[in-house]
Amino acid sequence: MKSTTFILASNVLLAFASCPFSVNQPQTRSVTDGDGFLDQFVVNDTNVFTTTDTGTPVDDTVSLKAGDRGPTLMEDFVMRTKITRFDHERVPERVVHARGAGAHGYFESYRDWSNITAAAFLSEAGKQTPIFVRFSVVGGSRGSADTARDVHGFAVKFYTEEGNYDIVGNNIPVFFVQDAIQFPDVIHATKPSPDNEALNTHDRAYDFVSQNPAALHTFFWQLAGYGIPRSYRHMDGFGVNTYRFVNDNGDSKLVKFHFKTQQGKASLLGPEALALAGQNPDAHRVDLFDAIAAGNYPEWELAVQIVDEEDVTRFGFDLLDPTKIIPETIVPLTPIGKFVLNRNPINYFAETEQVMFCPGHIVRGIDFSDDPLLQGRLFSYLDTQLNRNMGSPNFEQIPINRPRNIFHNNNRDGAGQQFIQSNTAAYSFNALNHGSPRPANQTQGKGFFTAPARRVVDARYVREVSPTFLDHWSQPRLFWNSILPVEQQMIVDALRFELANVESMQVRANFIHQINMVDHDLAVRVTDTVGIDAPAPDPTFYHDNTTTGLSIFNHTLSTIAGLNVGIMASSNSTDSISQAGSLVSALKAKGVNVMVIAEKLQSGVNTTYSSSDASLFDGIIIMDGTQGLFDPIASSHSSLYPPQRPLNIVRDAFYYEKAISAIGGGAAVLGQIGINGTQPGVRIVGSTGDEFVEMFESDLKQFKPGRYNLRYEDAKYFGKGKLCTAKLANYQFKLHDS
């Protein structure tokens, strides 16, 4: 069985290891929603008797039988009801975005934006709107691993006073296809094999990309750190498609949505992500839940790029093409608000699994564009919800999906109808109910309206791709130029891994041809290892343009709250455990999750070496008194942990770019694996104290400090000069104060 880290198709069923950072929650919790709306649906089972769904008190622990050893009787309605309900507990999982995690919070507008949009939730400085956010992986099933290389979903539901508004986006600003009609194709190419349900998807996935180069841009993003974020808290989000802001006068502007993490961007390394998938496949959902439970509420800033309608093709590409970004060097971001996640769900199924997002959940002041991917999404998402809700159109009545304002329409009946409709004249127009409910429009009822300026440019019926959509290589080149050399190396390494798992030589050659149109050096570095002859340069789309905001590794984290630190101690050294205790207090005061590791569980020890791995931590501290753990012979014969586990934790932490500090004699282990304390993010100190904690915090904020192991044959590609200054013309829409 080949291992894989590939994007949509890399979700391997893994043995579930316990997470050492899980917060133990009581069986019954109370929660107050931001506006109290969900409180009415919370069930409190404290100090009550068991009943059937119809309210009859029963004993459902033993079935009704003819004698204590006799057969179970068919008349046992308690048993039949209990098992029937159990048999129907599950609903169809999402075709894509099946595995996810969510949280409640609020959005706060920075100011009154009514000069550019009539959206009520953006109409006042400091105005807060309840939200629910769901993060996800795109391709894996509900049983897949969080850390598989993939595009990640980032969907936000705003419960506004004028209806629900959904931004259904990803953590990558571009998509695989330009037209929604190809969406089934890309998913079929990256889902498990239809003959044996195995995840041997490399040939089909890379065949698809080599034949559909519009997908190249997204592939470049996910092969870099964006495909393997450190956590949901450490990734940005994007609306992907182009939308419109429309003000009350009907004036409209094109907009792109950005969610900028305020924790700082951070990613894993490829081998680290693979290891973490085996150690803790729930790493991302646990991280989000535990951060909120600890009061370390994650925040994002909502920003937009705003463009005049007539400038849709001004920049050398088409803003309606979802495989393109608007470089921030051309159109800078305009921050319009922030959102904070501060409440965990009470029940995963009732909230995170049943929440249903749709780009068609729209409000007055925001409108669609003619983006062909968006146009298809408007149908697909609604259709998917009908499937997931067993064909019932009443999924909007599920509590997590209900709008906070009162809703009125002539929709009726259907499975799972929750309301008793009293209007007998359920049609428009009517006289029997005085014409109510009445149509709302731009001037009456503050209704949604389409921007009057929106019009069809070419009314001919055609099945053609717009000529403005045909450049598939310039923007992947822009991405490549705009990230650090170390991130370029990540893409090289990922492609070497991926293409080595592609069995078809033709598919390999076709894909190399495509990336050679982006960058010749990249193609050469990959061909070195995958048995394909290096192609000649194809400079048609080569350029030196760059933009800002694309690199992950050139930022430091703004906070270490929620990061995981392992302190390596020894059960044979009480001093090491007691000294670790003082560090625990100091680091926990900064919001860090700290685990003291030793051979055996005892007072002051949280976990053992047998259940630990470097991938579980963002940094490690090796205490004085641990020297005996790292003797290669002795540690290979210990029955308390796998052979050389303590040594391997340190070695892997170094290769995974973790922050490493060694105290006193604990430094002895570093020399055994070639670490001398001069490398970035590695410290050797004589003792601990406030100064040490501050230094270690600095190392954690750097996250990946720059030790990434460069292959000898790649060294010549590094230090080739600083990134070039962008040559693209500046463009910025001037906002006017309202």
Side-chain angles (χ1 to χ4, degrees):
M1 173 75 68
K2 295 179 180 177
S3 60
T4 176
T5 57
F6 179 66
I7 95 180
L8 305 174
S10 52
N11 301 279
V12 184
L13 291 177
L14 299 160
F16 277 66
S18 62
C19 174
F21 300 106
S22 295
V23 175
N24 292 324
Q25 297 294 324
Q27 290 284 357
T28 302
R29 296 187 296 117
S30 62
V31 67
T32 299
D33 187 55
D35 56 1
F37 179 81
L38 291 182
D39 288 354
Q40 62 185 305
F41 304 105
V42 175
V43 176
N44 186 351
D45 284 336
T46 304
N47 195 26
V48 296
F49 290 100
T50 301
T51 72
T52 64
D53 286 345
T54 55
T56 303
V58 294
D59 177 357
D60 68 349
T61 61
V62 181
S63 59
L64 182 66
K65 298 183 289 292
D68 57 7
R69 299 183 68 249
T72 300
L73 301 178
M74 280 296 294
E75 74 174 67
D76 188 356
F77 72 97
V78 178
M79 180 271 290
R80 287 188 288 108
T81 300
K82 183 176 181 179
I83 292 182
T84 298
R85 286 302 308 270
F86 172 75
D87 290 344
H88 295 269
E89 280 184 358
R90 295 294 174 262
V91 298
E93 69 175 34
R94 292 166 170 87
V95 177
V96 290
H97 299 277
R99 180 178 182 82
H104 297 274
Y106 66 88
F107 169 80
E108 182 176 307
S109 180
Y110 284 161
R111 48 160 283 189
D112 177 1
W113 299 102
S114 57
N115 61 317
I116 55 173
T117 176
F121 73 100
L122 293 170
S123 63
E124 181 183 338
K127 186 171 187 176
Q128 293 189 355
T129 300
I131 64 171
F132 188 84
V133 175
R134 185 177 185 271
F135 306 98
S136 59
V137 292
V138 172
S141 67
R142 282 195 62 191
S144 59
D146 284 346
T147 59
R149 188 181 293 277
D150 202 347
V151 176
H152 289 70
F154 197 129
V156 185
K157 184 182 293 290
F158 299 81
Y159 300 99
T160 86
E161 64 199 75
E162 295 182 345
N164 289 354
Y165 172 50
D166 293 351
I167 301 179
V168 194
N170 291 325
N171 77 320
I172 290 175
V174 289
F175 201 66
F176 298 96
V177 294
Q178 297 170 316
D179 190 321
I181 201 169
Q182 280 195 293
F183 187 68
D185 300 320
V186 68
I187 299 304
H188 290 167
T190 53
K191 281 287 191 178
S193 178
D195 55 358
N196 61 6
E197 190 65 11
L199 285 166
N200 54 342
T201 59
H202 290 84
D203 283 69
R204 294 190 306 280
Y206 281 86
D207 182 37
F208 177 86
V209 177
S210 64
Q211 301 302 313
N212 298 272
L216 271 176
H217 195 189
T218 300
F219 263 58
F220 269 68
W221 281 75
Q222 71 169 33
L223 289 169
Y226 291 89
I228 44 175
R230 187 268 174 201
S231 75
Y232 294 137
R233 297 183 299 120
H234 293 95
M235 69 184 192
D236 289 341
F238 303 89
V240 180
N241 301 112
T242 299
Y243 293 87
R244 280 181 166 86
F245 272 173
V246 186
N247 65 18
D248 280 324
N249 298 325
D251 303 320
S252 66
K253 302 288 182 182
L254 298 177
V255 296
K256 288 274 196 177
F257 290 108
H258 296 249
F259 313 132
K260 309 300 288 186
T261 175
Q262 301 303 288
Q263 290 67 242
K265 290 190 291 187
S267 81
L268 305 172
L269 301 181
E272 177 187 11
L274 282 173
L276 185 55
Q279 291 291 327
N280 182 17
D282 300 315
H284 287 172
R285 60 173 59 182
V286 169
D287 175 272
L288 178 68
F289 192 96
D290 287 358
I292 295 173
N296 298 319
Y297 303 141
E299 297 185 16
W300 285 262
E301 186 168 70
L302 175 58
V304 290
Q305 290 175 293
I306 308 175
V307 178
D308 290 326
E309 295 264 2
E310 59 268 22
D311 290 335
V312 65
T313 58
R314 171 182 173 180
F315 312 119
F317 54 89
D318 197 327
L319 267 64
L320 299 184
D321 182 350
T323 68
K324 305 295 191 296
I325 64 169
I326 312 175
E328 293 179 31
T329 46
I330 301 179
V331 182
L333 301 183
T334 299
I336 62 173
K338 70 172 184 178
F339 58 88
V340 180
L341 300 182
N342 58 6
R343 295 182 306 282
N344 281 315
I346 295 177
N347 183 279
Y348 182 91
F349 178 82
E351 298 166 82
T352 306
E353 187 63 19
Q354 288 200 125
V355 67
M356 298 181 184
F357 295 91
C358 179
H361 291 163
I362 201 80
V363 292
R364 173 188 174 96
I366 300 172
D367 199 0
F368 311 116
S369 74
D370 296 331
D371 175 341
L373 176 66
L374 174 59
Q375 293 294 314
R377 293 179 77 200
L378 294 174
F379 164 76
S380 179
Y381 281 69
L382 178 62
D383 192 49
T384 295
Q385 311 311 356
L386 292 173
N387 176 60
R388 297 195 65 238
N389 204 41
M390 307 303 187
S392 168
N394 293 314
F395 57 85
E396 305 286 17
Q397 297 178 12
I398 297 171
I400 191 65
N401 296 318
R402 288 188 190 179
R404 299 302 191 256
N405 59 321
I406 299 174
F407 53 94
H408 301 278
N409 54 52
N410 292 323
N411 297 333
R412 290 295 185 269
D413 306 336
Q417 175 60 247
Q418 303 293 304
F419 296 99
I420 302 173
Q421 302 286 356
S422 60
N423 175 20
T424 59
Y427 48 85
S428 295
F429 297 92
N430 70 70
L432 296 178
N433 198 44
H434 309 289
S436 186
R438 300 180 298 277
N441 55 36
Q442 184 173 357
T443 58
Q444 298 184 14
K446 298 190 70 175
F448 171 82
F449 63 96
T450 295
R454 189 175 172 197
R455 56 186 178 273
V456 176
V457 177
D458 186 345
R460 293 180 299 114
Y461 288 4
V462 296
R463 286 191 185 274
E464 298 175 0
V465 177
S466 169
T468 59
F469 279 39
L470 294 180
D471 176 4
H472 307 309
W473 303 275
S474 293
Q475 287 224 340
R477 172 81 177 191
L478 178 69
F479 180 79
W480 176 262
N481 290 346
S482 301
I483 59 178
L484 298 178
V486 66
E487 293 169 292
Q488 294 177 347
Q489 183 67 39
M490 291 178 69
I491 293 178
V492 172
D493 290 348
L495 282 175
R496 287 170 173 169
F497 175 89
E498 298 290 340
L499 293 180
N501 286 306
V502 172
E503 295 182 1
S504 168
M505 293 293 288
Q506 184 62 54
V507 170
R508 287 189 218 167
N510 290 345
F511 188 81
I512 293 296
H513 169 74
Q514 292 295 342
I515 64 174
N516 187 52
M517 296 176 69
V518 176
D519 187 87
H520 180 62
D521 287 344
L522 167 62
V524 171
R525 292 157 71 180
V526 175
T527 56
D528 281 349
T529 60
V530 297
I532 300 294
D533 292 336
D538 187 351
T540 306
F541 297 94
Y542 296 170
H543 61 78
D544 294 326
N545 295 335
T546 66
T547 188
T548 60
L550 305 191
S551 174
I552 292 177
F553 280 43
N554 67 347
H555 303 281
T556 57
L557 302 184
S558 59
T559 176
I560 62 172
L563 296 188
N564 303 322
V565 170
I567 300 180
M568 301 179 70
S570 175
S571 299
N572 295 321
S573 171
T574 56
D575 286 345
S576 72
I577 295 175
S578 63
Q579 290 171 15
S582 62
L583 282 176
V584 169
S585 299
L587 290 170
K588 282 190 173 181
K590 295 180 178 292
V592 175
N593 303 315
V594 190
M595 304 295 290
V596 177
I597 316 167
E599 301 94 311
K600 305 174 183 178
L601 290 177
Q602 61 191 80
S603 177
V605 175
N606 308 105
T607 190
T608 64
Y609 286 107
S610 65
S611 62
S612 296
D613 186 85
S615 63
L616 297 171
F617 307 107
D618 299 299
I620 63 168
I621 301 173
I622 310 165
M623 300 304 302
D624 189 15
T626 59
Q627 295 88 315
L629 295 172
F630 304 110
D631 178 85
I633 297 178
S635 64
S636 295
H637 295 86
S638 174
S639 62
L640 298 177
Y641 45 77
Q644 298 191 7
R645 172 61 60 80
L647 187 66
N648 289 336
I649 289 176
V650 180
R651 178 188 293 112
D652 291 344
F654 181 77
Y655 291 135
Y656 295 161
E657 295 273 333
K658 313 288 187 181
I660 299 174
S661 287
I663 315 298
V669 64
L670 301 184
Q672 296 184 40
I673 53 177
I675 306 175
N676 56 27
T678 62
Q679 294 94 338
V682 178
R683 296 186 186 275
I684 297 176
V685 298
S687 61
T688 62
D690 292 341
E691 183 178 356
F692 167 77
V693 173
E694 296 302 319
M695 290 189 300
F696 192 68
E697 178 181 16
S698 176
D699 291 340
L700 286 173
K701 284 185 175 181
Q702 189 62 44
F703 202 70
K704 304 295 183 186
R707 298 192 303 263
Y708 194 75
N709 187 30
L710 305 183
R711 280 48 168 186
Y712 173 79
E713 66 271 19
D714 291 337
K716 62 183 178 180
Y717 295 102
F718 287 78
K720 297 179 73 173
K722 299 297 182 183
L723 296 178
C724 300
T725 303
K727 297 179 180 179
L728 301 172
N730 252 353
Y731 175 85
Q732 182 175 12
F733 173 67
K734 303 298 182 183
L735 290 172
H736 300 286
D737 290 337
S738 57

